[in-house]
Amino acid sequence: MFWKYLLFELRLLVLNKKNWLLGLALVLFFPLYYSHYSQLDLIDIREEKNEEAENFPKILDKFPGSVWQTEEGKEIRENLIEQSSLINMQRLYLRNEEQGISRGFFSAGPNFQKFFDAGLQLNELRLELHRRGNKGIQREYIVPVDEILKENALFHYHKEHELPLIQNSFKASNYIPAALSIISGIMFCLLVLFAGSSMLVNDQHHPSVMQGFPITSMQKAFSKVSVHFVQIMFFLSASILIGGYYVARKAGWGDFRTPILIYQDANYIAVSMLRYLFYMLVAFGLIALLLLFTFLLLNLVTKNLYAAIVIILFILFSPQLLLVAGVETNWLYPIKFIDISEVLSGDAAMEYGIEKLDFKHAYSWLVVLNILVIAILYGRNKLLHIRKVETAPIQSS
């Protein structure tokens, strides 16, 4: 009977025009957002290195004379001069590649190694100045530690996998992660809530018919959540494939080994675009399940569709609302896991000052929260069943 009820729910969902419109909107998002993304003025590696080189005369010019005279000041000066030399070497390698002097430069050739080796040496010198407290260096010229760690992770990844450094940022392999980061968070939560808002409509409109199925309340709950979950993930997967194909027709697929930085164990590591996509889809799946079960529970408790949506949105926005009111919100950090892109990028860890707030921590919390909501839903249904049995009239023989 469970499978018959599941197929019944599936037929109802297939006939739900509202959800198909939501799916169409998600599919259209990828090509529509690309029209904006393709107009962005992304920073080129050559421009970045030229700007870094131009900063060194300013750094040396503003360096306090009192510090130069000390032994430590002389060591800092040598450090800065060596940094300047390494950056100019990197600029030379880039210029040679642009002019075609070193064919195959960003492949497995010797200059490929030289560029990244120079970058790793440069970052080690920067970290040394951080250990010295960046004495005498103006704040605007200090490269943050997290930016240094990110660049090191990318350089190691490029060296290990022998990938081109200079790529077309508007190809599908670079665009899909950018588009997913926009969907992540409140936008995806609204999609799930609106798609799941019809789970109990038929139960409320036709109670006598829907209660006639000889299956338990939890089986009904799992049936409703399952079909809506599958539909949401289908819409998401279809939008990624269709959006990727659309972008590939315009700019090409790109290289799906392209590195993307993620935050893990209080550090940054570079992973391939495909691995990043897998992490995002797993997180979206856990978030969708959590929202669907929570929405179902609140809808059963409040008996009001809109009240359930408002309560969930209030919970999701509570950290921002409390922050505006001047209340400390660090204890609400598990809510931040809803925006999985910020967790993967490390922005959530920086915002809350919690080093362990990475994607593994987020997945653990999402699994625990799913189990907790399911347990509450099961406990509520069990309690109602017990009360129903206790209050049922005893039939005379």
Side-chain angles (χ1 to χ4, degrees), residues 24-133:
L24 179 62
L26 183 60
V27 170
L28 290 177
F29 167 79
F30 278 81
L32 290 176
Y33 178 66
Y34 185 74
S35 62
H36 165 73
Y37 179 81
S38 60
Q39 301 300 319
L40 294 178
D41 186 16
L42 302 178
I43 299 177
D44 184 83
I45 184 66
R46 301 177 185 87
E47 297 176 1
E48 183 181 335
K49 289 301 173 183
N50 288 337
E51 184 178 351
E52 289 178 0
E54 292 170 359
N55 284 336
F56 274 93
K58 302 174 186 177
I59 295 174
L60 297 174
D61 183 58
K62 294 182 179 181
F63 204 91
S66 57
V67 180
W68 283 132
Q69 306 304 321
T70 64
E71 190 65 30
E72 184 180 16
K74 294 178 182 178
E75 293 176 359
I76 293 174
R77 184 171 183 272
E78 291 178 3
N79 183 304
L80 292 172
I81 292 173
E82 190 173 354
Q83 284 190 42
S84 178
S85 175
L86 288 169
I87 288 178
N88 284 323
M89 288 300 296
Q90 287 185 306
R91 293 172 68 197
L92 176 62
Y93 297 143
L94 289 171
R95 194 178 303 116
N96 288 346
E97 167 63 14
E98 188 175 8
Q99 296 173 356
I101 295 176
S102 178
R103 187 174 181 83
F105 165 61
F106 287 110
S107 57
N111 284 330
F112 167 84
Q113 297 292 334
K114 289 181 181 178
F115 178 88
F116 295 116
D117 286 339
L120 292 171
Q121 293 176 35
L122 171 65
N123 286 335
E124 182 55 40
L125 292 172
R126 287 169 171 168
L127 289 173
E128 181 183 337
L129 289 185
H130 274 284
R131 290 190 287 269
R132 291 177 177 271

Side-chain angles (χ1 to χ4, degrees), residues 313-336 351-352:
L313 290 178
F314 177 78
I315 294 172
L316 295 178
F317 282 110
S318 58
Q320 288 82 1
L321 296 174
L322 291 174
L323 190 62
V324 171
V327 179
E328 180 64 40
T329 61
N330 277 15
W331 58 279
L332 292 173
Y333 76 90
I335 299 176
K336 198 66 177 180
E351 179 181 348
Y352 287 94

Side-chain angles (χ1 to χ4, degrees), residues 168-182:
N168 184 352
S169 300
F170 301 111
K171 290 187 175 182
S173 58
N174 291 292
Y175 170 70
I176 291 175
L180 286 176
S181 67
I182 300 296

Side-chain angles (χ1 to χ4, degrees), residues 228-395:
H228 283 80
F229 170 78
V230 170
Q231 187 185 55
I232 290 168
M233 297 307 294
F234 170 76
F235 287 154
L236 183 61
S237 301
S239 64
I240 293 173
L241 291 174
I242 295 172
Y245 177 75
Y246 172 83
V247 175
R249 289 288 301 272
K250 287 183 168 293
W253 284 104
D255 193 335
F256 285 87
R257 296 176 300 164
T258 299
I260 298 176
L261 288 170
I262 64 172
Y263 182 76
Q264 177 181 321
D265 298 328
N267 202 349
Y268 292 94
I269 63 171
V271 299
S272 68
M273 180 269 180
L274 285 177
R275 186 175 168 187
Y276 177 83
L277 181 60
F278 172 76
Y279 287 158
M280 290 291 284
L281 288 176
V282 170
F284 279 138
L286 291 172
I287 293 167
L289 285 174
L290 177 61
L291 290 173
L292 288 172
F293 276 116
T294 304
F295 179 75
L296 184 64
L297 174 62
L298 290 175
N299 207 349
L300 290 171
V301 172
T302 61
K303 307 295 183 183
N304 189 302
L305 167 68
Y306 300 105
I309 293 177
V310 170
I311 291 172
I312 293 177
L313 290 178
F314 177 78
I315 294 172
L316 295 178
F317 282 110
S318 58
Q320 288 82 1
L321 296 174
L322 291 174
L323 190 62
V324 171
V327 179
E328 180 64 40
T329 61
N330 277 15
W331 58 279
L332 292 173
Y333 76 90
I335 299 176
K336 198 66 177 180
F337 298 146
I338 296 296
D339 192 351
I340 193 63
S341 69
E342 290 204 359
V343 175
L344 286 171
S345 67
D347 292 342
M350 293 184 62
E351 179 181 348
Y352 287 94
I354 303 175
E355 288 188 351
K356 63 179 181 179
L357 210 164
D358 58 12
F359 76 96
K360 293 188 294 185
H361 194 60
Y363 289 171
S364 301
W365 264 99
L366 288 171
V367 170
V368 169
L369 290 174
N370 270 289
I371 295 173
L372 179 62
V373 173
I374 293 172
I376 294 173
L377 185 62
Y378 175 79
R380 176 190 178 276
N381 290 331
K382 194 72 173 177
L383 183 61
L384 290 177
H385 177 71
I386 293 173
R387 287 180 179 176
K388 185 177 179 181
V389 172
E390 289 177 349
T391 56
I394 301 176
Q395 296 180 356

Side-chain angles (χ1 to χ4, degrees), residues 5 8-9 12 196-213 215-225 227-228 296 299-300 303 381:
Y5 184 81
F8 172 76
E9 286 289 337
L12 289 178
S197 63
S198 57
M199 282 194 294
L200 292 176
V201 170
N202 285 284
D203 296 62
Q204 294 169 351
H205 289 174
H206 309 284
S208 59
V209 175
M210 301 304 293
Q211 290 175 7
F213 286 92
I215 63 173
T216 65
S217 298
M218 286 305 295
Q219 286 178 323
K220 288 183 178 181
F222 277 109
S223 298
K224 293 175 183 296
V225 170
V227 295
H228 283 80
L296 184 64
N299 207 349
L300 290 171
K303 307 295 183 183
N381 290 331

Side-chain angles (χ1 to χ4, degrees), residues 7-23:
L7 291 175
F8 172 76
E9 286 289 337
L10 182 59
R11 282 195 293 270
L12 289 178
L13 192 60
V14 170
L15 297 174
N16 191 324
K17 296 179 181 179
K18 179 203 66 179
N19 281 23
W20 288 105
L21 287 174
L22 288 171

